[in-house]
Coordinates of all heavy atoms in Angstrom, one line a residue:
M1 N 34.9 -12.3 31.0 CA 34.4 -13.0 29.9 C 35.2 -14.3 29.7 O 34.6 -15.4 29.4 CB 34.5 -12.2 28.6 CG 33.5 -11.0 28.6 SD 31.8 -11.4 28.7 CE 31.4 -12.1 27.1
T2 N 36.5 -14.3 29.9 CA 37.3 -15.5 29.7 C 37.0 -16.5 30.8 O 36.8 -17.7 30.5 CB 38.8 -15.1 29.9 OG1 39.1 -14.1 28.9 CG2 39.7 -16.3 29.7
Y3 N 36.8 -16.0 32.0 CA 36.4 -16.9 33.1 C 35.0 -17.6 32.8 O 34.8 -18.8 33.0 CB 36.3 -16.2 34.4 CG 35.8 -17.0 35.6 CD1 36.6 -18.0 36.2 CD2 34.4 -16.9 36.0 CE1 36.1 -18.8 37.2 CE2 34.0 -17.7 37.0 CZ 34.8 -18.6 37.6 OH 34.3 -19.4 38.7
G4 N 34.1 -16.8 32.3 CA 32.8 -17.3 32.0 C 32.8 -18.3 30.9 O 32.0 -19.3 31.0
R5 N 33.6 -18.1 29.9 CA 33.7 -19.1 28.8 C 34.4 -20.4 29.3 O 34.1 -21.5 28.8 CB 34.4 -18.5 27.6 CG 33.6 -17.5 26.9 CD 34.3 -17.0 25.7 NE 33.6 -15.9 25.1 CZ 34.1 -14.6 25.1 NH1 35.3 -14.4 25.5 NH2 33.4 -13.6 24.5
A6 N 35.3 -20.3 30.2 CA 36.1 -21.4 30.6 C 35.5 -22.2 31.8 O 36.0 -23.3 32.1 CB 37.5 -20.9 31.0
T7 N 34.5 -21.7 32.4 CA 33.9 -22.3 33.6 C 32.5 -22.8 33.3 O 31.7 -22.1 32.8 CB 33.9 -21.2 34.7 OG1 35.2 -20.7 34.9 CG2 33.4 -21.9 36.0
K8 N 32.3 -24.1 33.7 CA 31.0 -24.7 33.6 C 30.1 -24.0 34.6 O 30.5 -23.7 35.7 CB 31.1 -26.2 33.8 CG 31.8 -26.9 32.8 CD 31.9 -28.4 33.1 CE 32.7 -29.2 32.1 NZ 32.9 -30.6 32.4
F9 N 28.8 -23.9 34.3 CA 27.9 -23.2 35.1 C 27.8 -23.9 36.5 O 27.8 -23.2 37.5 CB 26.5 -23.2 34.5 CG 25.5 -22.5 35.3 CD1 25.5 -21.1 35.3 CD2 24.5 -23.1 36.0 CE1 24.6 -20.4 36.0 CE2 23.6 -22.4 36.7 CZ 23.6 -21.0 36.8
E10 N 27.8 -25.2 36.6 CA 27.7 -25.9 37.9 C 28.9 -25.6 38.7 O 28.8 -25.5 39.9 CB 27.5 -27.4 37.7 CG 26.1 -27.7 37.0 CD 24.9 -27.2 37.8 OE1 25.0 -27.1 39.1 OE2 24.0 -26.8 37.1
D11 N 30.1 -25.5 38.1 CA 31.3 -25.2 38.8 C 31.3 -23.8 39.3 O 31.7 -23.5 40.4 CB 32.6 -25.4 37.9 CG 32.8 -26.8 37.5 OD1 32.3 -27.7 38.2 OD2 33.5 -27.1 36.5
F12 N 30.8 -22.9 38.5 CA 30.6 -21.5 39.0 C 29.7 -21.4 40.2 O 30.0 -20.7 41.2 CB 30.1 -20.6 37.9 CG 29.6 -19.2 38.4 CD1 30.5 -18.3 38.6 CD2 28.3 -19.0 38.6 CE1 30.1 -17.0 39.1 CE2 27.9 -17.8 39.1 CZ 28.8 -16.8 39.4
L13 N 28.5 -22.1 40.1 CA 27.6 -22.1 41.2 C 28.2 -22.6 42.5 O 28.1 -22.0 43.6 CB 26.4 -22.9 40.9 CG 25.3 -22.2 40.1 CD1 24.1 -23.2 39.9 CD2 24.8 -20.9 40.8
S14 N 28.9 -23.7 42.4 CA 29.6 -24.3 43.5 C 30.6 -23.4 44.1 O 30.7 -23.2 45.4 CB 30.2 -25.6 43.1 OG 30.9 -26.2 44.2
A15 N 31.5 -22.8 43.3 CA 32.5 -21.9 43.8 C 31.9 -20.6 44.4 O 32.4 -20.2 45.5 CB 33.5 -21.6 42.7
S16 N 31.0 -20.1 43.7 CA 30.4 -18.8 44.2 C 29.6 -19.0 45.5 O 29.5 -18.1 46.3 CB 29.6 -18.1 43.1 OG 28.5 -18.9 42.7
D17 N 29.0 -20.2 45.6 CA 28.2 -20.4 46.8 C 29.1 -20.3 48.1 O 28.6 -19.7 49.1 CB 27.6 -21.8 46.8 CG 26.7 -22.1 48.0 OD1 25.9 -21.2 48.3 OD2 26.7 -23.2 48.5
S18 N 30.3 -20.7 48.0 CA 31.2 -20.6 49.2 C 31.9 -19.2 49.3 O 32.4 -18.8 50.4 CB 32.2 -21.7 49.2 OG 33.0 -21.6 48.1
L19 N 31.9 -18.5 48.2 CA 32.6 -17.2 48.2 C 31.7 -16.0 48.6 O 32.1 -15.0 49.1 CB 33.2 -16.9 46.9 CG 34.3 -17.8 46.4 CD1 34.7 -17.5 45.0 CD2 35.5 -17.6 47.4
L20 N 30.4 -16.1 48.3 CA 29.4 -15.0 48.5 C 28.6 -15.2 49.7 O 28.3 -16.4 50.1 CB 28.5 -14.9 47.3 CG 29.1 -14.7 45.9 CD1 28.1 -14.8 44.8 CD2 29.8 -13.3 45.8
N21 N 28.3 -14.1 50.4 CA 27.4 -14.2 51.6 C 26.0 -14.1 51.1 O 25.7 -13.8 49.9 CB 27.8 -13.2 52.7 CG 27.6 -11.8 52.2 OD1 26.6 -11.4 51.5 ND2 28.5 -10.9 52.6
V22 N 25.0 -14.3 51.9 CA 23.6 -14.3 51.5 C 23.2 -12.9 51.0 O 22.4 -12.9 50.0 CB 22.7 -14.6 52.8 CG1 21.2 -14.5 52.4 CG2 23.0 -16.0 53.2
V23 N 23.7 -11.8 51.5 CA 23.3 -10.5 51.0 C 23.8 -10.3 49.6 O 23.1 -9.8 48.7 CB 23.9 -9.4 52.0 CG1 23.6 -8.0 51.4 CG2 23.2 -9.5 53.3
Q24 N 25.1 -10.8 49.3 CA 25.6 -10.7 48.0 C 24.8 -11.5 47.0 O 24.6 -11.1 45.9 CB 27.1 -11.1 48.0 CG 28.0 -10.1 48.8 CD 29.4 -10.7 49.0 OE1 29.5 -11.9 49.3 NE2 30.4 -9.8 49.0
K25 N 24.4 -12.7 47.4 CA 23.6 -13.6 46.5 C 22.3 -12.9 46.2 O 21.9 -12.9 45.1 CB 23.4 -14.9 47.2 CG 24.7 -15.8 47.3 CD 24.5 -17.0 48.1 CE 25.8 -17.7 48.4 NZ 25.6 -18.9 49.3
H26 N 21.7 -12.4 47.2 CA 20.4 -11.7 47.0 C 20.6 -10.5 46.0 O 19.7 -10.2 45.2 CB 19.8 -11.2 48.3 CG 18.9 -12.3 48.9 ND1 17.5 -12.3 48.8 CD2 19.2 -13.4 49.6 CE1 17.1 -13.3 49.5 NE2 18.1 -14.0 50.0
C27 N 21.7 -9.8 46.2 CA 21.9 -8.6 45.3 C 22.1 -9.1 43.8 O 21.5 -8.5 42.9 CB 23.2 -7.9 45.8 SG 23.7 -6.5 44.7
I28 N 22.8 -10.1 43.6 CA 23.0 -10.7 42.3 C 21.6 -11.2 41.7 O 21.3 -10.9 40.6 CB 24.0 -11.8 42.3 CG1 25.4 -11.2 42.6 CG2 24.0 -12.5 40.9 CD1 26.5 -12.2 42.8
L29 N 20.9 -11.9 42.6 CA 19.6 -12.4 42.1 C 18.6 -11.2 41.8 O 17.8 -11.3 40.8 CB 18.9 -13.3 43.2 CG 19.6 -14.7 43.3 CD1 19.0 -15.4 44.5 CD2 19.3 -15.5 42.1
L30 N 18.6 -10.1 42.6 CA 17.8 -9.0 42.3 C 18.2 -8.4 40.9 O 17.3 -8.0 40.1 CB 17.9 -7.9 43.4 CG 17.2 -8.2 44.7 CD1 17.6 -7.3 45.8 CD2 15.7 -8.1 44.4
N31 N 19.5 -8.2 40.7 CA 19.9 -7.7 39.4 C 19.5 -8.6 38.2 O 19.1 -8.2 37.2 CB 21.4 -7.4 39.4 CG 21.7 -6.1 40.1 OD1 21.5 -5.0 39.6 ND2 22.1 -6.2 41.4
L32 N 19.7 -9.9 38.4 CA 19.4 -10.9 37.4 C 17.9 -10.9 37.1 O 17.4 -10.8 36.0 CB 19.8 -12.3 37.8 CG 19.5 -13.4 36.9 CD1 20.2 -13.2 35.5 CD2 20.0 -14.7 37.5
A33 N 17.0 -10.8 38.2 CA 15.6 -10.8 38.0 C 15.2 -9.5 37.3 O 14.3 -9.5 36.4 CB 14.9 -10.8 39.4
D34 N 15.8 -8.4 37.6 CA 15.5 -7.1 37.0 C 15.8 -7.2 35.5 O 15.0 -6.8 34.7 CB 16.3 -6.0 37.6 CG 15.8 -4.6 37.3 OD1 14.6 -4.5 36.9 OD2 16.6 -3.7 37.3
A35 N 16.9 -7.8 35.2 CA 17.3 -7.9 33.7 C 16.3 -8.9 33.0 O 15.9 -8.6 31.9 CB 18.7 -8.5 33.6
L36 N 16.0 -10.0 33.6 CA 15.1 -11.0 33.0 C 13.7 -10.4 32.8 O 13.0 -10.8 31.9 CB 15.0 -12.3 33.8 CG 16.4 -13.0 34.0 CD1 16.1 -14.3 34.8 CD2 17.0 -13.4 32.7
L37 N 13.3 -9.6 33.7 CA 11.9 -9.0 33.6 C 11.8 -7.7 33.0 O 10.7 -7.1 33.0 CB 11.3 -9.0 35.1 CG 11.1 -10.4 35.7 CD1 10.7 -10.2 37.2 CD2 10.0 -11.2 35.0
S38 N 12.9 -7.2 32.5 CA 12.9 -5.8 31.9 C 11.9 -5.6 30.7 O 11.4 -4.5 30.5 CB 14.3 -5.4 31.5 OG 14.7 -6.2 30.4
D39 N 11.6 -6.7 30.0 CA 10.6 -6.6 29.0 C 9.2 -7.0 29.4 O 8.3 -7.2 28.6 CB 11.1 -7.5 27.8 CG 11.1 -9.0 28.1 OD1 10.9 -9.4 29.3 OD2 11.4 -9.8 27.1
G40 N 9.0 -7.2 30.7 CA 7.7 -7.5 31.2 C 7.5 -9.0 31.6 O 6.6 -9.3 32.3
R41 N 8.3 -9.9 31.1 CA 8.2 -11.3 31.4 C 9.5 -12.0 31.1 O 10.3 -11.6 30.3 CB 7.1 -11.9 30.6 CG 7.3 -11.9 29.1 CD 6.1 -12.5 28.3 NE 6.1 -14.0 28.1 CZ 7.0 -14.7 27.5 NH1 8.1 -14.1 27.0 NH2 6.9 -16.0 27.3
A42 N 9.7 -13.1 31.9 CA 10.9 -13.9 31.7 C 10.5 -15.1 30.9 O 9.5 -15.8 31.1 CB 11.5 -14.3 33.0
A43 N 11.3 -15.4 29.8 CA 11.1 -16.6 29.0 C 11.4 -17.8 29.8 O 12.1 -17.8 30.8 CB 12.0 -16.5 27.8
P44 N 10.8 -19.0 29.4 CA 11.0 -20.2 30.2 C 12.5 -20.5 30.5 O 12.8 -21.0 31.6 CB 10.3 -21.3 29.3 CG 9.3 -20.5 28.6 CD 9.9 -19.2 28.3
Q45 N 13.3 -20.4 29.5 CA 14.8 -20.7 29.7 C 15.4 -19.7 30.7 O 16.3 -20.0 31.4 CB 15.5 -20.7 28.4 CG 15.7 -19.5 27.6 CD 14.5 -19.2 26.6 OE1 13.4 -19.7 26.8 NE2 14.8 -18.5 25.6
E46 N 14.9 -18.4 30.7 CA 15.4 -17.5 31.7 C 14.9 -17.8 33.1 O 15.7 -17.7 34.0 CB 14.9 -16.1 31.3 CG 15.5 -15.5 30.0 CD 14.8 -14.2 29.5 OE1 13.6 -14.0 29.8 OE2 15.5 -13.5 28.9
Q47 N 13.7 -18.2 33.2 CA 13.2 -18.7 34.5 C 14.0 -19.9 35.0 O 14.3 -19.9 36.2 CB 11.7 -19.0 34.4 CG 10.8 -17.9 34.1 CD 9.3 -18.3 33.9 OE1 8.9 -19.3 34.3 NE2 8.6 -17.5 33.2
A48 N 14.3 -20.8 34.1 CA 15.0 -22.0 34.5 C 16.4 -21.6 35.0 O 16.9 -22.2 36.0 CB 15.1 -23.0 33.3
L49 N 17.1 -20.7 34.3 CA 18.4 -20.2 34.7 C 18.3 -19.6 36.1 O 19.1 -19.9 37.0 CB 18.9 -19.2 33.7 CG 20.3 -18.5 34.1 CD1 21.4 -19.6 34.2 CD2 20.6 -17.4 33.2
F50 N 17.3 -18.7 36.3 CA 17.1 -18.1 37.6 C 16.9 -19.1 38.7 O 17.5 -19.0 39.8 CB 15.9 -17.1 37.5 CG 15.8 -16.2 38.7 CD1 16.6 -15.1 38.8 CD2 14.9 -16.5 39.7 CE1 16.4 -14.3 40.0 CE2 14.8 -15.7 40.9 CZ 15.5 -14.6 41.0
E51 N 16.1 -20.1 38.5 CA 15.9 -21.1 39.5 C 17.1 -21.9 39.8 O 17.3 -22.4 40.9 CB 14.7 -22.0 39.0 CG 13.4 -21.3 39.1 CD 12.2 -22.2 38.6 OE1 12.4 -23.4 38.4 OE2 11.1 -21.6 38.4
R52 N 18.0 -22.2 38.7 CA 19.2 -22.8 39.0 C 20.1 -22.1 39.9 O 20.8 -22.6 40.8 CB 19.9 -23.1 37.7 CG 19.3 -24.2 36.9 CD 19.9 -24.5 35.5 NE 21.3 -25.0 35.7 CZ 22.1 -25.1 34.6 NH1 21.8 -24.6 33.4 NH2 23.4 -25.6 34.8
F53 N 20.2 -20.7 39.7 CA 20.9 -19.9 40.7 C 20.4 -20.0 42.1 O 21.2 -20.2 43.0 CB 20.9 -18.4 40.3 CG 22.0 -18.0 39.3 CD1 21.7 -17.8 38.0 CD2 23.2 -17.7 39.8 CE1 22.7 -17.4 37.1 CE2 24.2 -17.3 38.9 CZ 24.0 -17.1 37.6
M54 N 19.1 -19.9 42.2 CA 18.5 -20.0 43.6 C 18.8 -21.4 44.2 O 19.2 -21.4 45.4 CB 17.0 -19.8 43.5 CG 16.6 -18.3 43.2 SD 14.9 -18.0 43.2 CE 14.5 -18.1 44.9
Q55 N 18.6 -22.4 43.5 CA 18.9 -23.8 44.0 C 20.3 -24.0 44.3 O 20.7 -24.5 45.4 CB 18.4 -24.8 43.0 CG 16.9 -24.9 42.9 CD 16.5 -25.9 41.7 OE1 17.3 -26.3 41.0 NE2 15.2 -26.1 41.6
G56 N 21.2 -23.5 43.5 CA 22.6 -23.7 43.7 C 23.1 -22.9 44.9 O 24.1 -23.3 45.5
W57 N 22.5 -21.8 45.2 CA 22.9 -21.0 46.3 C 22.0 -21.2 47.6 O 22.2 -20.6 48.6 CB 22.8 -19.5 46.0 CG 23.9 -19.1 45.0 CD1 25.1 -19.7 44.8 CD2 23.9 -17.9 44.3 NE1 25.8 -19.0 43.9 CE2 25.2 -17.9 43.5 CE3 23.1 -16.8 44.1 CZ2 25.5 -16.8 42.7 CZ3 23.4 -15.8 43.2 CH2 24.6 -15.8 42.5
G58 N 21.1 -22.2 47.5 CA 20.3 -22.6 48.6 C 19.3 -21.5 49.1 O 19.1 -21.3 50.3
I59 N 18.8 -20.7 48.1 CA 17.9 -19.7 48.4 C 16.5 -20.1 48.0 O 16.3 -20.5 46.8 CB 18.3 -18.3 47.7 CG1 19.6 -17.9 48.3 CG2 17.2 -17.3 47.9 CD1 20.2 -16.7 47.6
S60 N 15.6 -20.1 48.9 CA 14.2 -20.6 48.6 C 13.4 -19.6 47.9 O 13.6 -18.4 48.1 CB 13.5 -21.1 49.9 OG 13.2 -19.9 50.7
K61 N 12.4 -20.0 47.1 CA 11.5 -19.1 46.5 C 10.8 -18.3 47.5 O 10.5 -17.1 47.3 CB 10.5 -19.9 45.6 CG 11.1 -20.5 44.4 CD 10.1 -21.2 43.5 CE 10.7 -21.8 42.3 NZ 9.7 -22.5 41.5
D62 N 10.4 -18.9 48.6 CA 9.6 -18.2 49.6 C 10.4 -17.0 50.2 O 9.9 -15.9 50.4 CB 9.2 -19.1 50.8 CG 8.1 -20.1 50.4 OD1 7.4 -19.8 49.3 OD2 7.9 -21.1 51.1
S63 N 11.7 -17.2 50.4 CA 12.5 -16.2 51.0 C 12.8 -15.1 50.1 O 13.2 -14.0 50.5 CB 13.9 -16.8 51.6 OG 14.7 -17.1 50.5
F64 N 12.7 -15.3 48.8 CA 12.9 -14.3 47.7 C 11.7 -13.7 47.2 O 11.8 -12.7 46.4 CB 13.8 -14.9 46.6 CG 14.5 -13.9 45.8 CD1 15.6 -13.2 46.2 CD2 14.0 -13.7 44.5 CE1 16.2 -12.3 45.4 CE2 14.6 -12.7 43.7 CZ 15.7 -12.0 44.1
Q65 N 10.5 -14.2 47.5 CA 9.3 -13.8 46.8 C 9.0 -12.3 47.0 O 8.6 -11.7 46.1 CB 8.1 -14.6 47.4 CG 6.8 -14.4 46.6 CD 7.0 -14.7 45.1 OE1 7.5 -15.7 44.7 NE2 6.5 -13.8 44.3
H66 N 9.2 -11.8 48.2 CA 8.9 -10.4 48.4 C 9.8 -9.5 47.5 O 9.3 -8.6 46.9 CB 9.1 -10.0 49.9 CG 9.0 -8.5 50.1 ND1 7.7 -7.8 50.1 CD2 9.9 -7.5 50.3 CE1 7.9 -6.5 50.3 NE2 9.2 -6.3 50.4
D67 N 11.1 -9.8 47.5 CA 12.0 -9.0 46.6 C 11.6 -9.1 45.2 O 11.6 -8.1 44.4 CB 13.4 -9.5 46.8 CG 14.0 -9.3 48.2 OD1 13.5 -8.3 48.9 OD2 14.9 -10.0 48.6
L68 N 11.2 -10.3 44.7 CA 10.8 -10.5 43.4 C 9.5 -9.7 43.0 O 9.4 -9.2 41.9 CB 10.6 -12.0 43.1 CG 10.3 -12.4 41.7 CD1 11.4 -12.0 40.7 CD2 10.1 -13.9 41.6
S69 N 8.6 -9.7 44.0 CA 7.4 -8.9 43.7 C 7.6 -7.4 43.5 O 7.0 -6.8 42.7 CB 6.3 -9.2 44.8 OG 6.8 -8.6 46.0
V70 N 8.6 -6.9 44.2 CA 9.0 -5.5 44.0 C 9.6 -5.3 42.6 O 9.2 -4.3 42.0 CB 10.0 -5.1 45.1 CG1 10.6 -3.7 44.8 CG2 9.4 -5.1 46.5
I71 N 10.4 -6.2 42.1 CA 11.0 -6.1 40.8 C 9.9 -6.2 39.7 O 9.8 -5.4 38.8 CB 12.0 -7.2 40.5 CG1 13.2 -7.1 41.5 CG2 12.5 -7.2 39.1 CD1 14.0 -5.8 41.3
V72 N 8.9 -7.1 40.0 CA 7.8 -7.2 39.0 C 7.0 -5.9 39.0 O 6.7 -5.4 37.9 CB 6.9 -8.4 39.4 CG1 5.6 -8.4 38.6 CG2 7.6 -9.7 39.2
K73 N 6.7 -5.3 40.1 CA 6.0 -4.0 40.2 C 6.8 -2.9 39.5 O 6.3 -2.1 38.8 CB 5.7 -3.6 41.6 CG 4.6 -4.5 42.3 CD 4.4 -4.1 43.7 CE 3.5 -5.0 44.4 NZ 3.4 -4.7 45.8
K74 N 8.1 -2.9 39.7 CA 9.0 -1.9 39.1 C 8.9 -1.9 37.6 O 9.0 -0.9 37.0 CB 10.4 -2.1 39.6 CG 11.4 -1.1 39.0 CD 12.8 -1.8 39.1 CE 13.7 -1.3 38.1 NZ 13.5 -1.6 36.7
N75 N 8.8 -3.1 37.1 CA 8.9 -3.3 35.6 C 7.5 -3.3 35.0 O 7.4 -3.5 33.8 CB 9.6 -4.6 35.3 CG 11.1 -4.4 35.5 OD1 11.7 -3.4 35.2 ND2 11.7 -5.4 36.1
D76 N 6.4 -3.0 35.8 CA 5.1 -3.0 35.2 C 4.8 -1.6 34.7 O 4.2 -0.8 35.3 CB 4.1 -3.4 36.3 CG 2.7 -3.5 35.7 OD1 2.5 -3.4 34.5 OD2 1.7 -3.6 36.6
H77 N 5.2 -1.4 33.5 CA 5.1 -0.1 32.9 C 3.7 0.3 32.5 O 3.4 1.4 32.2 CB 6.0 0.0 31.6 CG 7.5 -0.2 32.0 ND1 8.4 0.8 32.0 CD2 8.1 -1.2 32.4 CE1 9.5 0.4 32.3 NE2 9.4 -0.9 32.6
V78 N 2.8 -0.7 32.5 CA 1.4 -0.5 32.1 C 0.7 0.5 33.1 O -0.1 1.4 32.7 CB 0.6 -1.8 32.1 CG1 -0.9 -1.6 31.9 CG2 1.1 -2.7 31.0
V79 N 1.1 0.5 34.4 CA 0.5 1.4 35.3 C 0.9 2.8 35.1 O 0.2 3.7 35.6 CB 1.0 1.0 36.8 CG1 0.5 -0.4 37.1 CG2 2.4 1.2 37.0
L80 N 1.9 3.1 34.3 CA 2.3 4.5 34.0 C 1.5 5.1 32.8 O 1.6 6.3 32.5 CB 3.8 4.5 33.7 CG 4.7 4.1 34.8 CD1 6.1 4.1 34.3 CD2 4.5 5.0 36.0
G81 N 0.7 4.2 32.2 CA -0.2 4.7 31.1 C 0.4 4.7 29.8 O 1.0 4.9 28.9

């Protein structure tokens, strides 16, 4: 928490980009997407934050789309009745 409060978002993105490998970045993005979509939809500011992570880490929407579609399906509770 202390690090989060003391570090600007852009500085965090820059530092983490060089510290994390692609698999770790995808793991974090999957968890973030799952949290953002847990109520069935991501608010515009949540979507913007997610896109900032993807851009900062050089991950394209196309390369993440399949994973994101799985998270969307997982959180679609309507199908369960």
Side-chain angles (χ1 to χ4, degrees):
M1 294 299 286
T2 302
Y3 175 79
R5 288 187 189 112
T7 306
K8 293 179 183 176
F9 184 74
E10 295 304 324
D11 293 339
F12 167 78
L13 277 181
S14 178
S16 62
D17 185 41
S18 62
L19 293 173
L20 301 171
N21 64 41
V22 174
V23 174
Q24 292 168 325
K25 292 172 189 175
H26 273 258
C27 179
I28 292 168
L29 286 171
L30 283 167
N31 281 283
L32 181 58
D34 194 26
L36 297 180
L37 295 170
S38 65
D39 63 355
R41 62 182 276 298
Q45 65 271 26
E46 293 171 331
Q47 292 176 25
L49 175 67
F50 189 81
E51 289 177 12
R52 286 176 69 191
F53 269 102
M54 291 184 70
Q55 290 172 351
W57 287 343
I59 297 174
S60 71
K61 289 182 181 182
D62 289 341
S63 72
F64 196 74
Q65 189 57 46
H66 174 73
D67 294 334
L68 186 58
S69 68
V70 172
I71 297 295
V72 169
K73 287 177 188 174
K74 175 204 160 289
N75 288 317
D76 185 6
H77 298 250
V78 174
V79 299
L80 299 175

